[in-house]
Amino acid sequence: MLGYVLQFEGQVLATGSEAALIIGTAALMIPSMAWIRHQERFRPLKATGVIVGFLGVALLVTGQGPSNSTGHILADLLLAATAVTIALVFIYSKPLAMERGDRAVTGGIVLTTSLLLLPFAPLGQTAQTISDPTACPISSFSQYLER
C-alpha cells in the first residue's frame, strides 16, 4: 500500500513518462536485491544489463535540463521509493508464491492492498453532484444513441 501512496504523490510532481521510467526500475532492483540477500547469482551479462539499465534511466531522468527543482527531486525520490517497495514485494512474496501458487499470492496482495487503500479513496476525489439527469453519463450515452 505504501508503494501506491508514494507513487500517487510522486506522479503529481512528475511527468507520466518520467514516473514510468523510474517505477520501471523495479525490474532492475529485483535481481539486485535478490543478489544482496544471496538468493540469486549475478553473472556478468545480468550484472551488465542491470548497470546499463540503471545508467540509462538516470541519464534520461536527470538529463531534462533546468527542471531539477526541489519538487522535481522530491518526485524522483518518491517514485524511486515506489520502485523499491515493488521490488521488496516481489522478493519477499517469492517463497510464498512458490509454496502456495502465484495466482493465490497475487490475489492476496491485490485484495489486501485494495482494502488498505479503500479508506483513503475519497481523499483523491473532488465532490461532484449531478444536478440534471441528462448529465449522468448513462443518460447522455442513451441520448446519443437515440440521435
Side-chain angles (χ1 to χ4, degrees):
M1 177 190 95
L2 177 64
Y4 284 113
V5 172
L6 294 170
Q7 178 181 345
F8 297 149
E9 292 300 319
Q11 284 180 318
V12 171
L13 303 170
T15 64
S17 59
E18 183 179 352
L21 277 170
I22 295 172
I23 292 169
T25 62
L28 300 170
M29 291 181 190
I30 293 168
S32 303
M33 290 180 177
W35 176 70
I36 290 169
R37 293 189 67 220
H38 304 290
Q39 292 178 328
E40 190 169 321
R41 294 182 58 153
F42 245 43
R43 293 189 167 68
L45 186 61
K46 185 186 291 186
T48 303
V50 169
I51 291 168
V52 168
F54 275 124
L55 287 175
V57 170
L59 287 173
L60 287 170
V61 170
T62 60
Q64 293 184 0
S67 66
N68 286 334
S69 65
T70 305
H72 185 76
I73 293 169
L74 177 61
D76 291 348
L77 292 174
L78 288 169
L79 294 167
T82 299
V84 169
T85 60
I86 292 168
L88 288 172
V89 166
F90 275 93
I91 294 290
Y92 286 105
S93 66
K94 183 178 178 180
L96 187 60
M98 291 176 71
E99 178 185 325
R100 305 270 178 156
D102 54 350
R103 288 185 185 188
V105 172
T106 301
I109 290 171
V110 169
L111 181 62
T112 303
T113 302
S114 299
L115 290 174
L116 290 172
L117 284 174
L118 191 60
F120 300 101
L123 298 176
Q125 303 294 319
T126 56
Q128 296 179 351
T129 58
I130 298 175
S131 57
D132 184 9
T134 60
C136 177
I138 296 171
S139 298
S140 300
F141 185 69
S142 63
Q143 288 177 354
Y144 173 78
L145 291 176
E146 290 173 4
R147 290 184 199 165

